[in-house]
Amino acid sequence: MLQACVIGVGNMGRHHARIYFENNQVQLRGISDSNTEVGRKYADKYDIDFFTNYNKMLDTIKPDLVSLVTPTSTHYEIGKEILNRGINLLIEKPIADSIKHGEKLIQISEENDLVLLVGHIERYNPGIKAIKKVIDKNFFGRISSMQFQRVGVVPPQIKDTNVVIDLAIHDIDLSNYLIGDTPDNYKANLNNTHLKNRYDSCDILISYPNSSSYIQANWITPVKIRTLTITGEKGYARLNLVTQKLELFESIIETDFDDYGEYIILFKKPAITSFNVEKEEPLGLEINNFINTIKKKEKLKINPREALVSLDIAIDINNSNKC
């Protein structure tokens, strides 16, 4: 049985620990966290070892796989320690704090034939899986535009990055994935609304050869919203990424000529399909994909170089709009 460890058991890492503990393909062996009180709480809960020093944990347990769920600024230093020990790594997005560091982590993983999964969790959202199937079946025809809304309050645990790198990067990745291309160009409006030293609000327009995406992401909205809409020549879709409810609106079009002989397009009432996607926990699906890729049963649903492209775009947007 594969041996697993988790480094960082804060808001997200504790869920990694829970899912490993519940997974019958792995054995959760250790937790490391700089916060002794929090770390011991979860180590005691799962009756496993706790370490304040992650290097000691890696040397003692020698796990097969590790989830790294620490601040972005630490990803490179800790990530290379894990990979250099020959351990498969699931690293929360973004892959690193720079393209250079991300490239180096990918290089180490490739040289050692290790699985490196970057935790772009929305790739595993059943709603995204469903809408990708709809796209692949050509329901929309040519996609004209996508609109992403990912808003809520500022997460207090995030101190070392901003809303573009932490939040909008989800939808930058989804946009590339669903459209199946990389952008021609992009521009953004970034703001400091409540946070004075970091961007907490952004509006991003991404252009592709035949379509575009608009991304609204912020930490200033008092309610959590995660939605995606797609407009195409043959139809429209609305997806709630939280409830995983997907609605499809098929365009019914007739053409005619008006009294002056002008060509006109008539839109009739659309055919509407509304259904709830079978709900599954995206993180559980992500970790299963990680484990099954290590066991050579599957391939990763996101290649680390795809994650690097999204980071490159996010960094470029951030740097072109410096505070």
Side-chain angles (χ1 to χ4, degrees), residues 63-218:
D64 301 293
L65 60 142
V66 168
S67 276
L68 176 57
V69 198
T70 57
T72 301
S73 57
T74 68
H75 284 186
Y76 175 64
E77 291 299 331
I78 303 176
K80 70 178 182 179
E81 291 286 344
I82 296 167
L83 293 170
N84 279 327
R85 284 173 165 80
I87 301 168
N88 299 287
L89 175 60
L90 195 172
I91 188 169
E92 271 300 332
K93 60 81 203 157
I95 184 172
D97 57 356
S98 70
I99 298 304
K100 179 181 177 181
H101 285 164
E103 283 277 11
K104 183 62 177 175
L105 291 178
I106 293 172
Q107 179 188 341
I108 298 171
S109 70
E110 291 175 344
E111 288 174 350
N112 291 279
D113 194 27
L114 296 169
V115 176
L116 173 59
L117 173 58
V118 184
H120 280 272
I121 193 170
E122 293 289 23
R123 287 280 193 112
Y124 296 88
N125 189 309
I128 292 296
K129 180 181 178 181
I131 209 164
K132 182 65 166 63
K133 286 183 178 179
V134 171
I135 291 171
D136 291 344
K137 289 180 179 178
N138 201 35
F139 171 83
F140 299 100
R142 184 181 69 83
I143 293 176
S144 172
S145 64
M146 293 186 178
Q147 294 189 11
F148 298 86
Q149 189 177 31
R150 187 175 299 272
V151 301
V153 299
V154 60
Q157 75 275 11
I158 296 177
K159 306 291 185 184
D160 64 341
T161 189
N162 63 36
V163 75
V164 180
I165 306 298
D166 181 72
L167 202 62
I169 195 170
H170 280 294
D171 299 316
I172 292 170
D173 173 69
L174 286 181
S175 180
N176 292 343
Y177 171 62
L178 295 174
I179 289 177
D181 207 345
T182 52
D184 287 337
N185 57 69
Y186 36 84
K187 56 184 178 180
N189 181 36
L190 311 183
N191 288 294
N192 307 86
T193 305
H194 299 307
L195 302 178
K196 301 310 176 186
N197 61 340
R198 291 181 290 147
Y199 294 123
D200 57 11
S201 175
C202 66
D203 295 271
I204 302 169
L205 179 63
I206 303 178
S207 298
Y208 298 88
N210 295 301
S211 56
S212 63
S213 285
Y214 166 66
I215 297 170
Q216 180 191 50
N218 70 51

Side-chain angles (χ1 to χ4, degrees), residues 21-43:
F21 182 76
E22 295 171 353
N23 193 298
N24 60 15
Q25 298 190 84
V26 301
Q27 182 181 14
L28 180 63
R29 292 286 310 283
I31 282 173
S32 176
D33 198 285
S34 58
N35 186 318
T36 301
E37 181 180 355
V38 171
R40 287 196 183 281
K41 172 185 174 182
Y42 290 104

